[in-house]
Amino acid sequence: MKIAVGGDHAGFPLKGYVIEVLNDLGHEVTDCGSFDPNPIDFPDITKVVCEKVRSNEVEKGILVCGTGVGASIAANKIPGIRASVCHDIYSSHQCVEHDDVNVMCIGAQIIGPALVKELVDSFLTAEFSTAVEFRRRVEKLAIMEKEYAKELLEVNKK
Ligand SMILES: O=C(CO)[C@H](O)[C@H](O)COP(=O)(O)O
């Protein structure tokens, strides 16, 4: 699978290990930075990774910041992105099976390498369920995205 990976300065130490894990699992990785431990704001890296996901250049994205929280907030502001913090095995596959999550966010200050390996594998091997209720709910998310975008456009016109 083609995967884009990125992280801010707080995620930098773990991001290298995530890439190692992905390579070992046979995935094709695009490293979106950061490329050194200097401070960089998580929204900037989030945009780079998520652009690759929404343009279908890659199938999934993985973001690493201090907690995974900031990256997931930023990612969920980008149309077409469904991001989730994945710090336990059940959520890591259920978020794909039920919610078609396409960007996994992890916190380098929260979890260690051994768990990361299992979380990443669990996320990437999961498949979106064909059950109608899950499909319907994800369609509703896309509709919500359009509704609020329209509202923003109207506010900006005033
Ligand atoms: O986890 C994060 C956002 O949710 C960031 O990685 C974190 O806030 C960075 O903090 P600092 O600049 O103090 O290293």
Side-chain angles (χ1 to χ4, degrees):
M1 196 184 285
K2 289 184 178 175
I3 321 273
V5 181
D8 69 355
H9 53 283
F12 181 71
L14 193 63
K15 188 198 69 153
Y17 182 69
V18 169
I19 291 173
E20 236 177 76
V21 165
L22 291 169
N23 284 331
D24 286 351
L25 291 170
H27 296 291
E28 195 182 315
V29 181
T30 305
D31 186 353
C32 299
S34 82
F35 298 105
D36 59 54
N38 295 327
I40 178 158
D41 297 335
F42 64 80
D44 301 337
I45 291 289
T46 298
K47 272 180 12 190
V48 180
V49 169
C50 292
E51 276 305 327
K52 294 198 184 298
V53 176
R54 68 192 294 255
S55 65
N56 294 320
E57 197 181 315
V58 297
E59 215 170 304
K60 295 243 160 65
I62 299 181
L63 287 163
V64 194
C65 68
T67 59
V69 174
S72 91
I73 293 171
N76 279 312
K77 298 208 176 296
I78 300 174
I81 299 300
R82 290 171 301 281
S84 172
V85 176
C86 296
H87 284 168
D88 68 272
I89 302 294
Y90 182 70
S91 306
S92 297
H93 62 83
Q94 197 256 26
C95 72
V96 177
E97 290 156 0
H98 288 207
D99 309 325
D100 199 19
V101 160
N102 50 15
V103 175
M104 167 190 213
C105 304
I106 46 187
Q109 292 160 349
I110 313 293
I111 51 167
L115 182 54
V116 157
K117 195 172 183 175
E118 294 195 19
L119 295 173
V120 164
D121 195 31
S122 167
F123 175 71
L124 294 176
T125 52
E127 285 179 20
F128 186 30
S129 166
T130 53
V132 282
E133 66 269 31
F134 302 130
R135 298 277 161 165
R136 182 183 65 239
R137 290 167 195 158
V138 170
E139 272 166 33
K140 284 187 180 182
L141 294 177
I143 292 167
M144 278 174 72
E145 201 170 81
K146 284 199 189 105
E147 281 171 355
Y148 285 95
K150 215 176 353 168
E151 186 184 297
L152 265 181
L153 271 178
E154 270 149 30
V155 168
N156 287 337
K157 266 192 231 157
K158 286 178 191 161

